[in-house]
Amino acid sequence: MYNKYMDKKISEKVINRLTLYHCILQDFIDKKIEYISSKQIATLLRIDDSQVRKDINLLNNSGKSRVGYIVKELKKSIETTLGFAKTKNAYIIGAGNLGMALAKYDNFTSYGLNIINLFDNDDSKIGKSVNNKDIINIKELPRHTKENDVDIAILTVPGKFAQSTAEYLVSANIKYIWNFTPTVLNVPEDVQVWNENLMGNFLQFTYNI
Amino acid sequence: MYNKYMDKKISEKVINRLTLYHCILQDFIDKKIEYISSKQIATLLRIDDSQVRKDINLLNNSGKSRVGYIVKELKKSIETTLGFAKTKNAYIIGAGNLGMALAKYDNFTSYGLNIINLFDNDDSKIGKSVNNKDIINIKELPRHTKENDVDIAILTVPGKFAQSTAEYLVSANIKYIWNFTPTVLNVPEDVQVWNENLMGNFLQFTYNI
């Protein structure tokens, strides 16, 4: 079978939009609505509906009828294309409010992100659990990454501990860091960092206010 | 005085990069380092140093010497250009873990985002405070937006309450919603929404893993 999505590299912007379409489709399913038009999606996101159609054309989506896309089919197409089925295991580093919030965010699982454990150095947190995920002493991280073959870490420690913690993660063989701290990390070339630059996002949003 | 940044519209991508440069500069100041080169910034962010120089040229920055940019001057130039000084007041809606984490995020203040209060409907939270910000009954929001002239809300409620809460915010005259929920909001045209699409970001980051 010919799968369009196996041949085309999907750009970051398209991936981002597809996940937003996915949120809308989930909402339509919850409301038991069976069909959706590109126009409906476009209106909610305030983008052009030709853009929506173009993005959807990148998918291996067959569920199109005269009354619009079939919501469940389109949702499944997005999941297949973006590889939601290919679960990625990750650890949360830092069991503060942000770490806890992310651990409780059940939506992650349906997008193929499986948070296994949280790690912290605070004795008052170690041994507790949140959303069925244990909070473990950070000293035990190297053993865990090895045993569970996890190489993704979600970094939520306070900014002043970010660099030293990142170095520790690297020494424990973490290769991908999703960085929620306001610190730019200095790590070896073979380690990839995604900066969740919250203030940058806010400033983009409010620049013209 | 001629200010370059007053004539040029700065793109979202540039704004995002400038905030990352700002994080690096803060880190250099903490380490008492006085000069920084475009190469140093570029290496940390794994981008081209011609890109860094181009971005910095958009600023009204005079602090350049033979040994590099003067860290403090460059930091100040970014702050002036991005309008950090023009403080924006905002409310956090939802005093769960994420709302609490954002309320505690002191970095916001230095970027000109001033969180005034949190709002929730949970009696066990109302009346408490976090980081000197009171948690107020959401029913009192309309009075507060009016009295304090606040029109920015940071939405951190659970996804299933996102749409109804957004409608309530709109009725209370909120005009800008920074949406941390995994729900695409349907709001009137004069209300702007910025989707903090965490799963989209994660999928962009991990698409090729």
Side-chain angles (χ1 to χ4, degrees):
Chain A
M1 201 177 89
Y2 173 71
N3 280 346
K4 274 198 252 185
Y5 59 88
M6 296 178 82
D7 296 323
K8 289 187 191 170
K9 173 144 174 61
I10 297 189
S11 79
E12 292 191 349
K13 281 204 168 173
V14 177
I15 294 174
N16 207 301
R17 280 196 300 270
L18 288 174
T19 56
L20 290 173
Y21 303 169
H22 190 268
C23 289
I24 294 172
L25 295 167
Q26 184 56 57
D27 195 38
F28 270 57
I29 288 173
D30 293 344
K31 289 178 185 153
K32 303 194 195 314
I33 305 172
E34 281 180 65
Y35 300 96
I36 191 165
S37 68
S38 57
K39 183 80 189 158
Q40 283 176 297
I41 295 174
T43 305
L44 279 168
L45 294 174
R46 294 172 192 188
I47 56 178
D48 208 74
D49 63 328
S50 65
Q51 179 69 71
V52 175
R53 285 196 301 276
K54 215 172 126 189
D55 291 340
I56 291 175
N57 279 338
L58 291 172
L59 308 172
N60 191 37
N61 178 56
S62 52
K64 178 92 169 84
S65 79
R66 273 176 310 164
V67 284
Y69 301 103
I70 300 166
V71 171
K72 283 186 184 168
E73 295 284 323
L74 183 55
K75 180 163 170 275
K76 211 178 290 171
S77 298
I78 293 176
E79 290 170 0
T80 312
T81 305
L82 295 186
F84 288 12
K86 191 179 149 201
T87 299
K88 283 149 191 157
N89 294 324
Y91 292 135
I92 290 176
I93 313 300
N97 284 111
L98 183 57
M100 296 295 229
L102 295 174
K104 286 180 183 171
Y105 199 61
D106 282 327
N107 224 38
F108 279 162
T109 323
S110 58
Y111 284 75
L113 170 59
N114 183 30
I115 309 280
I116 301 186
N117 288 123
L118 296 86
F119 289 86
D120 207 296
N121 64 359
D122 180 345
D123 283 336
S124 73
K125 290 172 183 168
I126 294 164
K128 291 186 178 161
S129 72
V130 50
N131 201 9
N132 295 319
K133 303 164 211 310
D134 292 335
I135 304 171
I136 301 174
N137 192 325
I138 185 96
K139 284 181 188 161
E140 295 183 34
L141 181 73
R143 185 170 63 75
H144 280 263
T145 53
K146 210 170 176 178
E147 280 175 13
N148 300 322
D149 199 23
V150 173
D151 58 4
I152 304 175
I154 303 172
L155 188 61
T156 71
V157 299
K160 59 183 166 178
F161 303 121
Q163 178 60 34
S164 58
T165 308
E167 285 167 20
Y168 183 70
L169 296 180
V170 171
S171 75
N173 233 11
I174 290 291
K175 294 295 180 198
Y176 303 90
I177 300 175
W178 193 7
N179 179 24
F180 279 84
T181 78
T183 303
V184 173
L185 305 172
N186 189 359
V187 293
E189 277 216 5
D190 67 330
V191 177
Q192 285 184 45
V193 177
W194 182 277
N195 290 308
E196 199 61 48
N197 180 10
L198 289 184
M199 275 328 296
N201 296 348
F202 177 76
L203 288 165
Q204 279 175 40
F205 173 41
T206 59
Y207 187 57
N208 295 312
I209 299 184
Chain B
M1 200 178 90
Y2 173 71
N3 281 346
K4 274 198 253 185
Y5 59 88
M6 296 180 81
D7 297 322
K8 289 189 192 170
K9 172 143 175 64
I10 297 190
S11 79
E12 293 191 349
K13 282 205 167 172
V14 177
I15 294 175
N16 207 301
R17 280 197 300 271
L18 287 174
T19 57
L20 291 173
Y21 304 169
H22 190 268
C23 289
I24 294 171
L25 294 167
Q26 184 56 58
D27 194 40
F28 270 57
I29 288 174
D30 293 345
K31 290 178 185 154
K32 303 193 193 316
I33 305 173
E34 282 179 64
Y35 299 96
I36 192 166
S37 68
S38 57
K39 182 82 190 155
Q40 282 175 296
I41 295 175
T43 305
L44 280 167
L45 294 175
R46 294 173 192 187
I47 57 179
D48 209 74
D49 64 328
S50 65
Q51 179 71 71
V52 175
R53 285 195 303 274
K54 215 171 126 189
D55 292 339
I56 291 175
N57 279 339
L58 292 171
L59 308 172
N60 190 38
N61 179 55
S62 50
K64 178 93 168 82
S65 77
R66 273 177 308 162
V67 284
Y69 301 104
I70 300 166
V71 170
K72 283 185 183 166
E73 295 284 322
L74 183 55
K75 181 164 170 273
K76 210 178 290 172
S77 299
I78 293 176
E79 290 170 1
T80 312
T81 304
L82 296 186
F84 288 12
K86 192 179 149 201
T87 299
K88 284 149 191 157
N89 294 324
Y91 292 136
I92 290 176
I93 313 299
N97 284 112
L98 183 56
M100 297 294 230
L102 295 174
K104 286 180 183 172
Y105 199 60
D106 281 326
N107 225 37
F108 280 163
T109 323
S110 57
Y111 284 75
L113 170 58
N114 183 29
I115 310 281
I116 301 186
N117 288 123
L118 295 86
F119 289 86
D120 206 297
N121 64 357
D122 181 344
D123 282 336
S124 72
K125 289 172 183 169
I126 293 164
K128 292 185 178 162
S129 73
V130 50
N131 202 9
N132 295 318
K133 303 164 212 310
D134 292 335
I135 304 172
I136 301 174
N137 192 325
I138 184 97
K139 285 181 188 161
E140 295 183 36
L141 181 74
R143 185 169 64 76
H144 280 263
T145 52
K146 210 170 177 180
E147 280 174 12
N148 299 322
D149 198 24
V150 173
D151 58 3
I152 305 176
I154 303 173
L155 188 61
T156 70
V157 300
K160 58 183 166 178
F161 303 122
Q163 179 59 33
S164 57
T165 308
E167 286 166 19
Y168 182 71
L169 297 179
V170 171
S171 75
N173 233 11
I174 290 291
K175 296 294 180 198
Y176 303 91
I177 301 175
W178 193 7
N179 179 24
F180 279 85
T181 78
T183 302
V184 172
L185 305 172
N186 189 359
V187 293
E189 276 215 6
D190 66 328
V191 177
Q192 286 185 44
V193 177
W194 182 278
N195 291 307
E196 199 61 48
N197 180 10
L198 288 184
M199 274 328 297
N201 296 348
F202 177 75
L203 287 165
Q204 279 175 42
F205 173 42
T206 58
Y207 187 57
N208 295 311
I209 298 183

